[in-house]
Amino acid sequence: MSTQTNSQRGSKISGQWGPAIGRARPNAFEMALLAFIVLLAVMGGASRPEEWKTLAVKIIASMILIGLGVVKLRGSGFRSRNGAGAPNPALPKFFSLVLALTALYLVPLPPSLWTAMPGREPIVDFFASIGMAGTWRPATVSVALTLNTLTAVIAPFALVLLAMRAGERWRARAIDLFIAIAVLSVFLGVLQVVSGALSLYFFDVANFGRATGVFANRNHHAIFLAASLPLCLYRYMEKRSQQRKNGTLFLIAAGLILAGCLLGSSRAGLAMSGLATLASLAVFAKARPTEGGKRSSLLFPTAAITGVALVALPLLAYNSEAFGRLVASDPIDDLRFKLLPDIFALAGMHFPFGSGPGTFEDAYRMAETDDNLMRQYVNEAHNDWLQPFVEYGVFAFGLILWPIVSIVRAARTCWRGHGELVRVRSQCLVIAIAVLALGSFLDYPLRTAFLLTFGTFLWYQLIAVAMGAKRENDTVRDLNDRRGKAVL
């Protein structure tokens, strides 16, 4: 009698530890996926709606979404060329819901309705003062800011639809592309710090003099680098299991990314990179490249990552401000905690409907206290877990719980009775998603088009891994049933 488990037989069915990326030519959707990621990296690293590059990204994403809609209407569907198709309709449904809900805040309402909504008193007084008390207007306190949020959702939606048409091997190449962007962003950050040239910054408003890479904000840059670390170790394990020598390149990339986190002078990013590195090494230590093999040794990856990361020390010494930033107090950082009472008060003031998607800036300005007045204005809550409750009110519970439930269910599917490939890949994806989630407590990384689509891709890929593992188990179960019937 055989004692192999379903996961062991499943690993033999798949034939290897990870997807083999051969020389198959990409289709138009797969090329569009990679090109769209590059476009987002170059032009989608800012959150300010007035940046022309941000507007260009939204226009291109809208064109992609319209084009994919035409493909769907023509009957091509959204099945990938390898027949796997969409792993789960959860993401398209989620973004469709967000688009519909955001659009509802732009529908003009009679004065008897919008004037009765909590938090609209200053707007009611203003319209009354100019003799327009009976005007119909949307529920949002700022139509322009809500329109900006509506268009911002299009980019991740377009990426999901492109990923649904791409094969597994090309989604793996998309992960490699994100890693390459992280490494290039590190080198760009080094040049920004060493040269001080403003021309090296991609946006008109940025943290000049700091390492921001392809972003406008140093914290967003550091959070992206930290989230890329577990992807490097996952790809290294995959290459090593396939006995390919180029797997070491991913360890070198991890070391360079870790060095970039040190150079970035972001305390949030440094903390996230430390957690991501330790969690990734813990996954690596438990992994076995082959069924029944020995556990992986931490010596080589730890030495490689640490050795490459040491290149940051001379740069930190050269740029003493970067090191001082790690230990010095910052009024903006202190303001994040001072804002918490005001955020809760704003959420209560506009409950249950919220002030409108993307309108925190105007809602806060109408209720800003004298104690928090300063030269800089507050454009975000610096906490992406609380800001939705100000803007969406009671609907924020659904917008936050949907991704959490989906991610937890996918992770549970991957971690129950499946092979080493499924566990390691899913654990690395969960670590990367957790970095973005934890970073969102201290800043607003998901308010940038690039990081929002990056996080969406990680979510999509985790569901794809879970659905792939489920299909593999179903295949094994069918084979076992056929063998049992053949014996009878």
Side-chain angles (χ1 to χ4, degrees):
M1 174 183 279
S2 173
T3 58
Q4 287 182 310
T5 63
N6 284 349
S7 62
Q8 289 171 325
R9 291 194 182 107
S11 64
K12 292 184 178 181
I13 291 174
S14 63
Q16 57 186 359
W17 197 84
I21 300 179
R23 298 183 179 273
R25 293 182 180 180
N27 59 30
F29 298 98
E30 292 161 344
M31 289 299 295
L33 172 64
L34 301 183
F36 189 44
I37 292 172
V38 173
L39 173 74
L40 288 166
V42 175
M43 306 180 70
S47 61
R48 300 174 67 91
E50 62 268 25
E51 287 280 358
W52 71 267
K53 292 182 180 179
T54 303
L55 178 61
V57 166
K58 294 174 181 178
I59 294 174
I60 295 172
S62 300
M63 294 171 62
I64 293 174
L65 199 62
I66 293 172
L68 290 170
V70 172
V71 171
K72 179 67 174 178
L73 289 176
R74 290 178 60 185
S76 299
F78 289 106
R79 297 189 65 81
S80 64
R81 64 180 179 180
N82 60 7
N88 196 295
L91 269 73
K93 288 181 179 179
F94 173 77
F95 285 110
S96 298
L97 173 65
V98 175
L99 284 172
L101 180 60
T102 304
L104 281 177
Y105 282 86
L106 296 171
V107 176
L109 300 175
S112 59
L113 290 181
W114 73 263
T115 57
M117 299 178 71
R120 283 11 180 225
E121 293 80 8
I123 301 177
V124 173
D125 294 340
F126 170 75
F127 275 86
S129 66
I130 60 175
M132 299 178 64
T135 302
W136 285 50
R137 74 176 311 276
T140 176
V141 300
S142 173
V143 173
L145 292 176
T146 299
L147 275 173
N148 173 65
T149 300
L150 182 69
T151 55
V153 181
I154 295 176
F157 198 176
L159 180 130
V160 166
L161 297 182
L162 285 174
M164 289 168 67
R165 289 297 302 256
E168 181 181 1
R169 68 182 63 191
W170 288 95
R171 293 199 301 271
R173 282 187 171 174
I175 294 177
D176 292 346
L177 181 57
F178 279 119
I179 295 173
I181 291 170
V183 173
L184 292 175
S185 189
V186 169
F187 284 111
L188 179 59
V190 171
L191 293 176
Q192 290 167 342
V193 171
V194 173
S195 69
L198 299 183
S199 59
L200 293 175
Y201 292 87
F202 286 9
F203 303 98
D204 295 332
V205 179
N207 295 142
F208 298 117
R210 308 285 175 83
T212 65
V214 298
F215 295 89
N217 185 297
R218 66 175 184 272
N219 289 327
H220 301 166
H221 171 61
I223 291 172
F224 169 61
L225 297 183
S228 302
L229 285 170
L231 302 183
C232 293
L233 284 178
Y234 148 60
R235 291 295 285 149
Y236 165 72
M237 284 292 294
E238 185 172 77
K239 293 292 185 180
R240 194 185 72 162
S241 69
Q242 297 168 358
Q243 297 181 348
R244 296 185 180 183
K245 297 180 180 180
N246 59 350
T248 307
L249 292 175
F250 290 99
L251 292 183
I252 296 174
L256 291 172
I257 291 171
L258 187 58
C261 292
L262 295 173
L263 179 65
S265 68
S266 168
R267 285 176 289 191
L270 188 61
M272 294 298 101
S273 62
L275 291 173
T277 302
L278 293 176
S280 300
L281 289 175
V283 171
F284 179 87
K286 294 182 178 180
R288 295 182 176 89
T290 58
E291 291 294 339
K294 295 181 179 179
R295 292 186 185 275
S296 305
S297 172
L298 285 174
L299 180 60
F300 179 65
T302 303
I305 294 173
T306 304
V308 177
L310 289 177
V311 300
L313 295 180
L315 293 171
L316 283 173
Y318 175 85
N319 184 31
S320 57
E321 182 184 358
F323 179 78
R325 169 70 182 81
L326 294 174
V327 296
S329 61
D330 190 323
I332 301 298
D333 288 342
D334 296 338
L335 181 64
R336 289 186 176 93
F337 299 100
K338 289 178 64 177
L339 283 176
L340 289 177
D342 292 340
I343 294 173
F344 286 110
L346 270 179
M349 183 187 304
H350 293 276
F351 192 83
F353 303 108
S355 61
T359 61
F360 177 86
E361 179 182 334
D362 282 5
Y364 180 80
R365 190 178 301 166
M366 290 189 294
E368 187 174 13
T369 61
D370 295 340
D371 294 338
N372 288 336
L373 288 175
M374 60 180 189
R375 292 184 177 180
Q376 297 90 349
Y377 70 95
V378 178
N379 62 332
E380 306 285 357
H382 293 270
N383 189 317
D384 268 345
W385 290 91
L386 296 180
Q387 186 165 330
F389 290 97
V390 176
E391 299 175 345
Y392 285 95
V394 69
F395 302 112
F397 288 101
L399 297 178
I400 291 175
L401 288 177
W402 186 322
I404 291 176
V405 172
S406 175
I407 290 169
V408 170
R409 290 181 62 183
R412 289 180 60 187
T413 300
C414 294
W415 298 345
R416 287 185 175 181
H418 296 292
E420 203 67 23
L421 162 64
V422 175
R423 285 193 294 271
V424 171
R425 184 188 293 182
S426 62
Q427 287 168 355
C428 289
L429 291 171
V430 168
I431 293 171
I433 293 171
V435 168
L436 294 178
L438 291 173
S440 297
F441 275 107
L442 302 173
D443 218 295
Y444 47 96
L446 299 184
R447 301 277 166 172
T448 65
F450 180 53
L451 282 180
L452 180 58
T453 50
F454 175 58
T456 301
F457 179 82
L458 296 175
W459 179 14
Y460 178 93
Q461 188 67 4
L462 178 62
I463 294 177
V465 171
M467 297 300 293
K470 187 176 182 299
R471 285 194 300 267
E472 187 175 275
N473 267 13
D474 292 341
T475 302
V476 173
R477 190 179 299 108
D478 291 342
L479 288 175
N480 289 339
D481 291 341
R482 291 176 185 176
R483 288 172 181 172
K485 291 179 181 179
V487 172
L488 294 175

